[in-house]
Structure formats: structure tokens, C-alpha cells
Amino acid sequence: MDWKTFQALLSGVNKYSTAFGRVWLSVVFVFRVMVYVVAAERVWGDEQKDFDCNTKQPGCANVCYDHFFPISHIRLWALQLIFVTCPSFMVVMHVAYRDDRERKHRAKHGEDTKLYNNTGKKHGGLWWTYLVSLFVKTGIEVSFLYILHRVYDSFYLPRLVKCEVEPCPNQVDCYIGHPTEKKVFTYFMVGASALCIILNICEIIYLIAKRIARIANKLKRRNRNTAVHHEDYSDDPFNNFNQPVSRLDMKEKPPYFKSSYRPSALKLEEKIRASAPNLIRSCI
């Protein structure tokens, strides 16, 4: 496996990652990839040759080794590193897709126009892509830890295992090569994987909390602008006809504002005729 190419690909992810994402990349490179390449491969390099059983029965040692080590630790960790880092390429591909759209948009509408303010900024679809990649990475980490624990019954490697699988003639004792070193590296890789899970969870919480805070700030700003606009409208003296008038204001107004009843001219004439009919006739 070409780890230099692998590192070059992952280094592009660092540009679009948060602080937690950069710490995660550092942990993956320093505590997992470097330890895997420098030390772990050498410790597990001759594991089948060092698996020794106290019998000369042909095929017994091979069958017992396959029974206790159906998947080699070193190959399982290599698969884990590949699968865990693959979701990060989703973000790089999404940014590359945005860059291509931006290039086509500028070629069509001019160099001064922009489709995105920043193609690498985590807004819109890129935010969802980044969040989904974190969930996928966390699920892969947990799955591989479960497989490792399920296959080997635990993370502990004993010095001696007893085998009763055919074609062994009876129960034989088999000894694992370099058990202490393998146990130390197993615990170290499991701890690094657990640390990566914690960092992924922290980054998920950080992204969701930041998104909620941004939405809350937008709502507050919108409500503040609406309130200011409403206050400016209510200060207009020509737009106060709908405002309610209190009783105190009604008392302070002149008496003619209290009643809106005004007798018509016809009713006034009828009252005059009823009270002084002779006066009207003489006038006529």
C-alpha cells in the first residue's frame, strides 16, 4: 500500500476541516498510520511462523492458527484505516464539484460574477455532506471495534491457547509469538480508534450547535428589524387612526368629543313647529 499517496489525498481534507477535524487527522496520521507502518507491521510480520504448537501432526498448526486468528490484526487495521478515511473524500469531491460549477458560471456570465462566496465554506449541501461523512466515519470505527472484539472474544491476547480442531489428534497447546508486544499494540490501536470516535462525536455536536446558533441569530435579527420597522410606522402621525384611545384621554378632551350624536335639520324643524306653530304661520 502506498501510504505517501494516501497521505497526499488526506492532506487536502485538512483545508476544509474544523478544529476537531484537524485534530482527528493528526491522530490518524501520527498515532495510527505511523505506528502501523513503523512498528505494527514488523510485530505481526511473522505471526504464523511464530505460532508454535506442541505437535508434529501435519496441518494442525495451520488449522489452529486459522481458528484463533481468522483475520489478522494488521490486515484488519489496514482495512479500518482505508474505510475510515474514505468518507473524508466525499467532502473533497463536493468541493471539487463546487469549483467546477463556479468555473462554468464565470465562463458563462463573466469573471466578476460569483456563484459561491467561498466554495470550501460549509454551508448548504456541503454542510450536510460533511455531517454525513462524520456519521459514516463514526459508524465504521464502531463496527471495526465490534468485529475485532467479536472475532477474538476480547482485545486481550493470551500467551497460550488450547486447540482441539481436526486434524489435531487431541488437545494441543499452541503458543503465540511476541504476545506482549501484540497486546500492547492492540490496546494502543483500540485506544486511538476510541479517541477518533470521541473527536467525531465532538465535531458533530460542534457543527449542529453552530448551525442552531446561526439560525437563532438570524431569527433574532429578523425579529429586531421587524420591531424597528413597526415602531417607525407607529410614529407616523398620519397612521394613528387605528390606535385605541384610553378613558383618561377621553376625559381630558372637550365635551363635544364625547358624543358623536348630532340631530338632523329635519328633526330640528319638527321640534320648532311643535313648540311654536303660530310663529311659523305668521312668518309665512
Side-chain angles (χ1 to χ4, degrees):
M1 182 177 182
D2 191 358
W3 292 107
K4 292 183 179 179
T5 306
F6 185 69
Q7 182 178 2
L9 289 173
L10 276 182
S11 60
V13 183
N14 195 32
K15 296 187 296 183
Y16 316 113
S17 301
T18 62
F20 291 102
R22 294 186 181 96
V23 175
W24 179 85
L25 281 174
S26 300
V27 171
V28 169
F29 279 124
V30 177
F31 294 101
R32 299 180 73 175
V33 175
M34 295 298 294
V35 171
Y36 177 89
V37 174
V38 174
E41 279 188 330
R42 296 181 181 179
V43 173
W44 268 271
D46 53 353
E47 52 184 332
Q48 188 171 0
K49 185 177 66 175
D50 291 339
F51 188 79
D52 190 18
C53 298
N54 59 354
T55 180
K56 297 298 182 180
Q57 179 70 27
C60 180
N62 292 333
V63 172
C64 290
Y65 176 82
D66 184 68
H67 176 73
F68 287 105
F69 298 97
I71 301 175
S72 174
H73 285 73
I74 201 70
R75 294 179 180 88
L76 186 65
W77 289 334
L79 287 175
Q80 183 179 5
L81 288 173
I82 293 172
F83 279 100
V84 161
T85 52
C86 279
S88 299
F89 299 143
M90 296 168 55
V91 181
V92 178
M93 288 187 291
H94 198 151
V95 174
Y97 169 73
R98 280 187 166 189
D99 290 335
D100 185 64
R101 286 192 63 190
E102 183 73 20
R103 181 181 56 80
K104 291 180 179 179
H105 182 78
R106 289 186 177 184
K108 184 176 181 181
H109 300 282
E111 292 294 332
D112 296 334
T113 60
K114 284 186 177 182
L115 188 61
Y116 301 100
N117 293 328
N118 186 1
T119 56
K121 198 169 185 180
K122 290 179 286 297
H123 286 298
L126 185 59
W127 184 86
W128 286 104
T129 302
Y130 196 91
L131 188 66
V132 169
S133 68
L134 290 176
F135 278 108
V136 173
K137 286 191 291 186
T138 306
I140 291 173
E141 295 276 16
V142 173
S143 300
F144 271 92
L145 286 180
Y146 174 76
I147 291 172
L148 185 64
H149 188 275
R150 181 75 175 177
V151 170
Y152 299 106
D153 293 330
S154 66
F155 302 126
Y156 176 78
L157 285 178
R159 296 175 180 272
L160 173 66
V161 292
K162 296 185 179 294
C163 180
E164 297 179 353
V165 185
E166 294 181 355
C168 298
N170 49 22
Q171 188 181 51
V172 297
D173 296 332
C174 295
Y175 301 91
I176 300 174
H178 309 289
T180 304
E181 286 182 312
K182 291 179 179 179
K183 186 178 6 179
V184 169
F185 279 107
T186 300
Y187 286 152
F188 184 85
M189 296 297 283
V190 169
S193 181
L195 179 60
C196 289
I197 292 173
I198 295 173
L199 290 173
N200 287 333
I201 294 174
C202 292
E203 192 171 9
I204 290 171
I205 296 173
Y206 170 76
L207 285 176
I208 295 176
K210 191 175 180 181
R211 184 67 176 267
I212 293 173
R214 189 184 300 116
I215 294 174
N217 290 332
K218 285 183 179 180
L219 292 176
K220 288 181 180 179
R221 197 179 301 113
R222 186 181 302 171
N223 293 334
R224 192 182 301 115
N225 293 335
T226 305
V228 170
H229 178 72
H230 181 70
E231 290 177 0
D232 294 339
Y233 181 77
S234 62
D235 291 339
D236 189 358
F238 298 100
N239 294 320
N240 291 328
F241 60 90
N242 288 328
Q243 293 182 355
V245 181
S246 63
R247 293 183 179 180
L248 183 60
D249 295 337
M250 291 294 294
K251 289 180 181 180
E252 293 177 355
K253 289 181 179 180
Y256 62 88
F257 281 102
K258 293 183 179 180
S259 176
S260 61
Y261 176 77
R262 293 182 180 180
S264 62
L266 181 60
K267 290 183 179 181
L268 181 60
E269 185 179 354
E270 289 177 358
K271 287 183 178 181
I272 295 173
R273 286 181 181 180
S275 61
N278 297 327
L279 180 61
I280 298 175
R281 289 176 185 178
S282 61
C283 292
I284 296 173

